[in-house]
Amino acid sequence: MLVMGIVERKSRQKQALRERILEAARRIVMREGFAALSMRKIADAIEYSPATLYLHFASRDEIAQALCAEGYAQLLETFVPLARIADPAERLRALGRAYVAFGVAHPQTYRLIFMEDPSYTGAALGGMAAAGTGVSGAATAETGGVDEAVAIPAAGTAVAAAAAGTTATGTTAPGTTATVSPASGKTNLAPAKSDDDPGDASLRIMTSALEELKAAGRLSASMDVVVWAEAFWATLHGIVALNLTCPVFPTVSLDTVVGVALDAWLGPKAAVHSPGVTESSRARKKKSADASAESPIEPDGAATKSQTKSQTQSATKSQTKPATRPKATRA
Amino acid sequence: MLVMGIVERKSRQKQALRERILEAARRIVMREGFAALSMRKIADAIEYSPATLYLHFASRDEIAQALCAEGYAQLLETFVPLARIADPAERLRALGRAYVAFGVAHPQTYRLIFMEDPSYTGAALGGMAAAGTGVSGAATAETGGVDEAVAIPAAGTAVAAAAAGTTATGTTAPGTTATVSPASGKTNLAPAKSDDDPGDASLRIMTSALEELKAAGRLSASMDVVVWAEAFWATLHGIVALNLTCPVFPTVSLDTVVGVALDAWLGPKAAVHSPGVTESSRARKKKSADASAESPIEPDGAATKSQTKSQTQSATKSQTKPATRPKATRA
DNA sequence: GTCTATAAAGAGATAGAC
DNA sequence: GTCTATCTCTTTATAGAC
């Protein structure tokens, strides 16, 4: 039974190196963007030869997907505490603000998981995919189809599991699925929702809030929850994405834009109907940026926005078109 | 005076080749994505040597920016006819739908101009940049700052100019600024709005509609037009961007999501207040996808969505990580 | 398990002949 | 103006010695 221990030690060592690889990869992505991630750079960073990496990951892509999984878990994590907010509308507001704050705080991570490659983005959204399996037919337009009747306990379980396995800095959770294929290994993996998928869990947090909103009569009964949720998400994503890509996007403060968007979807604080409002309460105006506690945050490691811009840019290009830089050689 | 003619002929020939280069580049981008664009590929396509390209463009980047300018003009073009819609709310709805339709119909073009590189995205948005010059301070939060008082004729002029020089298929307009630096050569280029900038023109179309809306009392008087416009844009961008990047994004029909989003911002057809509604008219529900005339469109050249997905993906990777593909060699 | 060395492919950009 | 030839540099991934 001694060999057992040796085997385990070796296994631990192997795991440890795997961690180091991911850690280095994560740092590179955060500093220089995903496009600048190369096997060589990782190898240099951990002071191993490139060949060694292939003993732990079959390809660069597999590393990328592992990073994505981390990113999703990290995002989900920021949602978890907010799921306890009693009022569903306020909960959705908080989720929205947290979502944007996350994107702005971790631009490269956000880019990686939501703006880079469809296969990366799709990896953690298996649940949605399974539900709305078709491409864009008028399939689930009725009112159900997806997880209309999800109970919050289910979401809570999944959330807790995902959150537990992930540290605050985003280290890979042992239980987190790193590759795509063996999706769960926990419950059924083929047909419906994979149940411990971060994307799914987030979706459930949102839809359950929406269900409550609807049940409370604050959302038009005729509104399809899924449609609303997707449009709402798109709005948030648009704000983040533009902010990351368009140099001049929020001409005004980001908080202000987010506030207006939340008002548009949830009403200026009071009761909600279609996505409408009771027109009385507009004493708030654009001062809706009161929850500014979570907005001025340190970016991934890239400093403030204008810096992030040029930095990201040069970094990106240094890999998209890595070659030559002959001016440095020549001039 | 004969030499003049010869000079002109040569100049025409040079221009023609420049066109051919851009045309080839455009085709490559549309088919395989921007990441797959390389000088060699262009050279092969037009059957010239790579070196020749450098007589017309200083770098790959310059070609990319020329393509961006085309893309912006192309997008602006789709807006022009809609600027004549009388009702400002309906006009904004139409603009929104057209925007999304454009993004879906020309995924690679949209990616290039709005999702790729901040410098590309920023190139055509000089007007906005000039106005809100700072990065994100609470600068223009008051109510003006940008072009609050723009008249529609001004926009009309710029629009006409841009539209005239650009054919339906998106061929480079002779008058269109290809490089970044010589922004206009027409009016003042340094301080304020460059006036013939597509991004600016589009912005003006939108803000003027908003001004009318506000003047008609259908938009809360306290609402900052610029903020509203930016949030509205973000929503549309989010819908397009998610659709292009997230394999399963619109679980339901894209039109439905767009319709709900438009309702959220403009109200379900009737009068508008904050971004609210009169709660009466909800006989429409999600049947708001009546203007579906412009939605089922042929994509850039990439077929339907699911195909676009995998295709884009492999194409993208074929340049981001172009090397090796040794399985093909080996297996 | 880890390394060295290298294959195989591609990129952007330039020098200099014609 | 155009091409050939080349430089410099990058990448992923593997083979085989240790």
Side-chain angles (χ1 to χ4, degrees), chain A residues 37 50 63 65 76 84 86 219 278 282 301 328:
Chain A
L37 182 69
I63 295 180
Q65 271 158 353
L76 175 59
R84 313 189 76 95
L219 183 68
T278 61
R282 69 183 180 205

Side-chain angles (χ1 to χ4, degrees), chain A residues 22-59:
Chain A
L22 281 180
E23 194 181 313
R26 200 181 314 124
R27 268 208 311 278
I28 292 170
V29 168
M30 290 197 307
R31 275 205 315 268
E32 315 174 49
F34 170 67
L37 182 69
S38 79
M39 301 300 263
R40 293 181 120 82
K41 268 192 192 152
I42 300 173
D44 282 355
I46 63 172
E47 296 178 301
Y48 273 77
S49 106
T52 302
L53 303 187
Y54 291 92
L55 299 177
H56 298 263
F57 296 93
S59 67

